[in-house]
Amino acid sequence: MSENTAAPAKPKGKKRLELDPRLAAYKGIWVFVEMERGQVHQVSWELLGEGRKLADILNVELGAVILGGSNDELAAAARSAFTYGADVAYIVADPVLTDYRNEPYTKAMTDLVNKYQPEILLLGATTLGRDLAGSVATTLLTGLTADCTELAIDPDNRGLLATRPTFGGSLLCTIQTLNYRPQMATIRPRVMAMPDTLPERSGRVISENLQMQEDDIIAKVLQFIPDEAQEQAQLAYADIIVAGGRGMGKAENFRLIWDLAAVLGAEVGGSRPVTHAGWLPADRQVGQSGKTVRPKLYIAAGISGAIQHRVGMESSDVIIAINNDPHAPIFDFATYGIVGDAVQILPVLTDAFRSRLAVNRRAG
Amino acid sequence: MIKIEEKLFQNRYRVDEGHPHIHIINPEVCADNCSAQSCTYVCPAGCYVADEKGDITLTTDGCLECGTCRIICNDHHNVAWEYPRGGHGILFKFG
Ligand SMILES: Cc1cc2nc3c(=O)[nH]c(=O)nc-3n(C[C@H](O)[C@H](O)[C@H](O)COP(=O)(O)OP(=O)(O)OC[C@H]3O[C@@H](n4cnc5c(N)ncnc54)[C@H](O)[C@@H]3O)c2cc1C
Ligand code: SF4
Ligand code: SF4
């Protein structure tokens, strides 16, 4: 830039840009349905739930993009996508899309976007989603906000307000893509609530072909090595977690936690002192240096609720705290609190749930 | 009252999971031979905690790497003290 080219004066306050008329044609919200080995990642359904809300605000259609190798799997995923709120499913079935590879997925996605022109494109911030989103956004020359935790629509300009934590979570920044389309965002798994299914719901299926030969693709998948850890603690995806802290007193008392978890079909978690003492394996630690969880129900027995524990579980839908100290900090943010000895209360709860669930089963 | 934990939460750490950098060499010495248990009073991060029986638990997650515990245990030399591995431990920002 030459020195006497004055920079255009920055408008004061909120920027208002006229959207390029060619981009004004972009309509609708899309969610990328992430599928691996026939399994849809749960974040995709969470995003359809969130996408539905945004689509209703904007009064546009919600589309699900489903890419893969097998027609049957894609069709099944499309049916599920409809029950979670999608109006349209865009399907590309091609053998080169069987395993995830950046190149063919980017091509399939960008072809779809260029043809059908959605205004918003959402992906899960999984390893796969983050990889794909970056190349799709740079190919389309549009804006992408990574790892968002909140989405909203700007009432002024119908734009997407994508909010994400930054600087290690100490700041939340809201980012807008003002004059490029689609507005892209990846969203952190387990942040958006799982939507209810409407089993009767159905929608349109639009199938497209991918113009790509296997020989054109540089990356080859030689072997797939499944993650052994899949068999172990799945705290991040549990609907119910029963967690114990130092207040459980000793390792043997953790049997009470496991018993309650077994009756509820829950995962078992714990606080730092508990994993430190070896009462629980380290991969069950919840908190700042452990797992962040967002179950529907978190039962915390003998956990004080220190900030480092709290940050890992406070977004649970319902938190039940059992603690013998009525002043324990956990009562400040628990939904329900029981003041008492966890070692006595847990077996009573377990029995109550067991007989209640047995009645329900008989009735059902 | 603000707890130490809450102040420690202002710090930045990269906890080296499963590799504590400080060890108590012989827990029996703490329980049976050390009447002062000075480490439980002087550690600025509250890493050393004594229970009613006199057993000491050491959790190094919040350790500020000041070295006090190593020096204060002069009578018993019961603390095996190392720095955390590179990139781990307390990461002072504007320290
Ligand atoms: C850098 C750093 C990272 C950390 N990361 C984590 C982390 O990821 N996860 C984590 O959990 N912590 C973490 N911590 C530790 C955290 O600060 C707390 O020390 C810890 O969470 C406390 O665990 P607790 O609640 O089990 O134990 P305590 O704080 O000892 O609380 C025990 C509670 O049990 C109650 N109690 C006692 N007896 C009974 C009984 N019979 N019935 C019912 N209640 C009873 C007590 O009233 C008390 O409230 C971290 C700390 C640091 C410095
Ligand atoms: S001062 Fe040393 S010997 Fe005494 S309790 Fe602490 S670590 Fe143990
Ligand atoms: S080095 Fe300092 S902060 Fe760390 S445990 Fe020892 S006394 Fe505590």
Side-chain angles (χ1 to χ4, degrees), chain A residues 323-354:
Chain A
N323 197 305
N324 62 4
D325 172 10
H327 303 293
I330 193 151
F331 289 127
D332 296 344
F333 59 96
T335 326
Y336 303 103
I338 305 174
V339 179
D341 183 352
V343 179
Q344 290 175 1
I345 291 168
L346 282 171
V348 181
L349 276 181
T350 307
D351 281 344
F353 279 119
R354 187 182 287 127

Side-chain angles (χ1 to χ4, degrees), chain A residues 96-260:
Chain A
V96 303
L97 296 169
T98 303
D99 282 303
Y100 173 75
R101 283 175 293 174
N102 181 275
E103 226 182 324
Y105 268 66
T106 303
K107 170 106 168 60
M109 187 61 121
T110 51
D111 285 355
L112 281 175
V113 167
N114 286 329
K115 181 156 178 191
Y116 295 100
Q117 309 198 322
E119 58 194 308
I120 295 175
L121 173 55
L122 307 175
L123 301 90
T126 56
T127 321
L128 191 164
R130 286 167 187 234
D131 182 65
L132 180 60
S135 59
V136 168
T138 46
T139 308
L140 295 170
L141 299 177
T142 186
L144 163 67
T145 310
D147 211 15
C148 300
T149 54
E150 234 180 281
L151 297 175
I153 297 294
D154 187 336
D156 288 352
N157 60 8
R158 291 170 54 91
L160 177 70
L161 296 168
T163 302
R164 59 154 301 166
T166 185
F167 294 113
S170 57
L171 279 183
L172 285 176
C173 58
T174 302
I175 300 175
Q176 261 192 290
T177 298
L178 288 171
N179 45 355
Y180 298 93
R181 290 292 180 269
Q183 310 161 77
M184 288 183 60
T186 63
I187 291 91
R188 212 177 263 192
R190 298 297 292 171
V191 175
M192 306 302 174
M194 250 321 252
D196 295 330
T197 50
L198 298 168
E200 268 81 70
R201 238 178 145 277
S202 140
R204 307 196 315 281
V205 175
I206 296 180
S207 294
E208 286 289 333
N209 295 319
L210 180 68
Q211 308 300 333
M212 212 174 197
Q213 303 300 320
E214 182 58 45
D215 292 345
D216 303 339
I217 304 165
I218 297 168
K220 306 286 174 203
V221 178
L222 301 180
Q223 200 192 345
F224 180 84
I225 305 168
D227 184 359
E228 302 293 343
Q230 287 284 318
E231 302 301 314
Q232 291 164 12
Q234 285 290 310
L235 281 181
Y237 294 103
D239 277 337
I240 308 178
I241 294 174
V242 185
R246 200 193 337 242
M248 291 305 294
K250 53 182 184 215
E252 295 81 79
N253 289 344
F254 257 74
R255 191 181 41 82
L256 306 174
I257 302 268
W258 287 99
D259 287 350
L260 178 55

